[in-house]
């Protein structure tokens, strides 16, 4: 056994993972070159080697949860931590031209893929499982929770920043009689979203959020700020504030992380979400500044692991005979690694999902917390 194998095997023991062990979360190594690859490229190598079938696990999500809980991926040099931070803060990879390209790279992979994976409303953000037993019910519960948190009423006009295929807008129009405008940079989302919302007072715009400047009764953003980038958080909050009427509410639903260092996942950056950045609570509060008062902060992150599991089950069930006609086996392993490793990150409590309710001047008499 060479030195690389000894080092990696020793690291994995800290996460109670055994190479070629017999427990579901143990890993099976198919190619001995894996060890040197992991030491050289760490998180990038972990995902790429899985895509290349160099290793496997019967319970991939639990394997990743254990690695994250043991903090193994941070046993790296200071240089590797500092450089991504400098790039994110100084180079602004989410400028307009790059933002459109990055959004297309993920969300324009094909509507057939997302239709097979998501709930019937095509809601691509964390569901709310408190009183729900199915993905459809959990996503409707989340959409209703958002409507209730902003006090949405019939006839009101709501802006959805990063509207996806329009699941929130359609729900708000159907169940609450609201009018909705949504912006996205994905052409495929706009095309299908218009079909799904046909006949409703819902407008899709292929538009950068930074170009918005018109009044709305309420503003929501469900899983879009992760693509905004640290250099643009203040601008994002400025846009939300200038579009929100003085007595309205702004609900921000976002994945977040507690780490103050910018430690982007190199594998996800390359294969899943180019240009993305998970905000910290400190970054969001600083960006809100004096523009907003925080009325409520709700962490539903534990629900995302179950959501991701449901998405994988749907993806896997539709793979053979349907999705495999358009995507190859390497894509299957890539998408599986994406969904399962993400679920592991939420179970390790490394990542969270925050729903934050903002007002401009404070709700008269105080905001009533809704769960």
């Amino acid at each position: 056994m060479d030195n690389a194998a000894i080092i990696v095997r020793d690291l994995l023991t800290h996460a109670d993972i055994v190479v070629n062990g017999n427990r579901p979360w143990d890993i099976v190594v198919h190619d001995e070159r894996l060890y040197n690859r992991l030491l050289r490229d760490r998180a990038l190598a972990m995902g790429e080697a899985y895509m290349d079938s160099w290793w496997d696990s019967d319970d991939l999500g639990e394997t990743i949860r254990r690695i994250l809980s043991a903090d193994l991926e941070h046993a790296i040099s200071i240089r590797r931590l500092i450089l991504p931070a400098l790039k994110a803060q100084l180079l602004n990879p989410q400028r307009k031209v790059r933002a459109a390209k990055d959004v297309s790279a993920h969300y324009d992979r094909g509507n057939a893929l997302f239709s097979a994976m998501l709930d019937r409303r095509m809601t691509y953000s964390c569901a709310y499982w408190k009183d729900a037993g199915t993905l459809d019910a959990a996503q409707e519960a989340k959409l209703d929770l958002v409507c209730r948190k902003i006090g949405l009423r019939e006839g009101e006009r709501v802006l959805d920043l990063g509207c996806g295929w329009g699941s929130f807008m359609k729900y708000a129009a159907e169940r609450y009689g609201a009018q909705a405008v949504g912006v996205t940079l994905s052409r495929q989302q706009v095309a299908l979203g218009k079909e799904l919302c046909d006949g409703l007072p819902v407008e899709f715009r292929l538009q950068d959020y930074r170009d918005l400047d018109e009044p709305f009764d309420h503003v929501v953003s469900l899983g879009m700020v992760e693509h905004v980038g640290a250099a643009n958080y203040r601008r994002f909050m400025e846009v939300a504030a200038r579009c929100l009427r003085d007595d309205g509410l702004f609900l921000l639903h976002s994945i977040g992380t507690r780490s103050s260092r910018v430690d982007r996942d190199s594998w996800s950056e390359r294969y899943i979400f180019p240009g993305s950045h998970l905000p910290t609570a400190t970054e969001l509060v600083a960006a809100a500044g004096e523009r907003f008062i925080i009325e409520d902060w709700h962490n539903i992150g534990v629900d995302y692991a179950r959501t991701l599991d449901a998405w994988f089950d749907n993806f896997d069930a539709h793979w053979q005979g349907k999705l495999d006609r358009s995507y190859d086996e390497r894509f299957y392993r890539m998408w599986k690694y994406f969904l399962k490793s993400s679920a592991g990150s939420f179970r390790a409590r490394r990542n969270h999902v925050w729903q934050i309710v903002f007002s401009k001047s404070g709700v008269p008499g105080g905001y009533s917390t809704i769960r």
Side-chain angles (χ1 to χ4, degrees):
M1 187 182 301
D2 64 18
N3 287 337
I6 292 172
I7 292 170
V8 171
R9 285 170 178 256
D10 180 63
L11 284 171
L12 289 173
T13 61
H14 294 286
D16 191 25
I17 296 172
V18 176
V19 174
N20 299 327
N22 56 15
R23 298 169 300 180
W25 60 85
D26 289 331
I27 70 171
V28 177
V29 174
H30 304 301
D31 193 316
E32 294 295 317
R33 292 175 295 172
L34 173 68
Y35 304 115
N36 280 303
R37 190 175 183 180
L38 287 175
L39 292 182
R40 184 180 66 248
D41 294 326
R42 308 292 170 146
L44 178 62
M46 193 78 176
E48 286 187 334
Y50 184 82
M51 291 165 62
D52 293 337
S53 300
W54 285 21
W55 69 277
D56 271 301
S57 166
D58 288 340
D59 191 343
L60 182 57
E62 176 62 11
T63 301
I64 299 302
R65 184 200 69 78
R66 287 172 176 269
I67 289 172
L68 294 176
S69 294
D71 208 27
L72 297 189
E73 85 281 17
H74 288 143
I76 58 178
S77 69
I78 295 298
R79 182 177 66 86
R80 292 195 177 192
L81 290 176
I82 292 176
L83 289 182
L86 292 176
K87 286 174 66 179
Q89 294 292 341
L90 301 180
L91 300 183
N92 188 14
Q94 293 83 10
R95 59 193 183 279
K96 283 187 180 181
V97 174
R98 175 67 185 274
K101 181 179 179 182
D102 288 343
V103 167
S104 179
H106 184 86
Y107 296 96
D108 288 340
R109 290 178 185 269
N111 284 329
L113 169 65
F114 295 106
S115 295
M117 183 179 83
L118 304 177
D119 65 299
R120 67 182 183 87
R121 289 184 176 273
M122 294 191 69
T123 312
Y124 199 17
S125 55
C126 179
Y128 191 50
W129 294 88
K130 182 182 176 182
D131 298 311
T134 67
L135 179 62
D136 284 343
Q139 289 292 18
E140 289 215 353
K142 187 269 299 297
L143 297 175
D144 195 66
L145 183 69
V146 172
C147 291
R148 289 186 291 123
K149 282 185 175 183
I150 62 175
L152 189 61
R153 295 190 295 270
E154 185 175 357
E156 289 188 324
R157 193 163 179 255
V158 59
L159 170 64
D160 188 346
L161 297 170
C163 62
W165 294 272
S167 65
F168 169 77
M169 297 193 295
K170 184 177 182 181
Y171 187 89
E174 288 178 337
R175 302 294 178 85
Y176 284 80
Q179 303 172 43
V181 172
V183 296
T184 176
L185 293 174
S186 168
R187 294 183 181 277
Q188 291 197 29
Q189 286 184 335
V190 169
L192 181 56
K194 286 182 176 180
E195 292 181 20
L196 296 174
C197 297
D198 185 46
L200 293 171
V202 169
E203 178 185 353
F204 284 84
R205 297 181 187 174
L206 189 68
Q207 181 180 14
D208 191 286
Y209 72 93
R210 284 164 279 209
D211 297 328
L212 286 162
D213 188 8
E214 58 187 281
F216 292 87
D217 295 298
H218 303 289
V219 177
V220 302
S221 183
L222 311 180
M224 180 266 209
V225 76
E226 300 92 327
H227 302 288
V228 166
N232 301 303
Y233 288 152
R234 288 184 182 276
R235 182 72 178 277
F236 177 80
M237 292 292 185
E238 287 172 1
V239 172
R242 78 183 181 213
C243 290
L244 182 65
R245 295 189 187 278
D246 289 343
D247 60 348
L249 293 175
F250 166 39
L251 186 142
L252 177 64
H253 172 116
S254 172
I255 299 173
T257 183
R258 70 178 183 179
S259 175
S260 60
R261 63 185 176 226
V262 181
D263 185 20
R264 288 158 64 181
D265 181 342
S266 55
W267 182 82
S268 181
E269 165 75 13
R270 177 173 295 185
Y271 292 99
I272 305 299
F273 292 116
S276 64
H277 170 73
L278 299 185
T280 65
T282 301
E283 288 173 328
L284 293 178
V285 171
E290 297 181 357
R291 301 176 189 86
F292 290 115
I293 291 172
I294 298 174
E295 299 286 359
D296 186 47
W297 195 304
H298 185 189
N299 189 340
I300 63 170
V302 293
D303 283 17
Y304 216 158
R306 189 171 175 182
T307 304
L308 287 154
D309 286 343
W311 287 347
F312 174 74
D313 289 343
N314 287 343
F315 168 71
D316 189 56
H318 288 91
W319 177 257
Q320 192 168 4
K322 183 176 180 181
L323 294 177
D324 62 353
R325 297 173 182 173
S326 303
Y327 306 92
D328 61 17
E329 184 63 22
R330 195 166 190 264
F331 180 90
Y332 174 86
R333 291 182 67 89
M334 179 188 75
W335 211 250
K336 178 179 180 178
Y337 188 82
F338 156 49
L339 296 173
K340 288 295 187 179
S341 63
S342 297
S345 76
F346 286 99
R347 288 199 167 94
R349 303 309 306 279
R350 176 65 59 84
N351 293 330
H352 311 276
V353 176
W354 299 321
Q355 285 193 350
I356 313 168
V357 179
F358 297 96
S359 68
K360 282 189 172 181
S361 303
V363 175
Y367 179 82
S368 298
T369 300
I370 295 171
R371 295 290 185 264

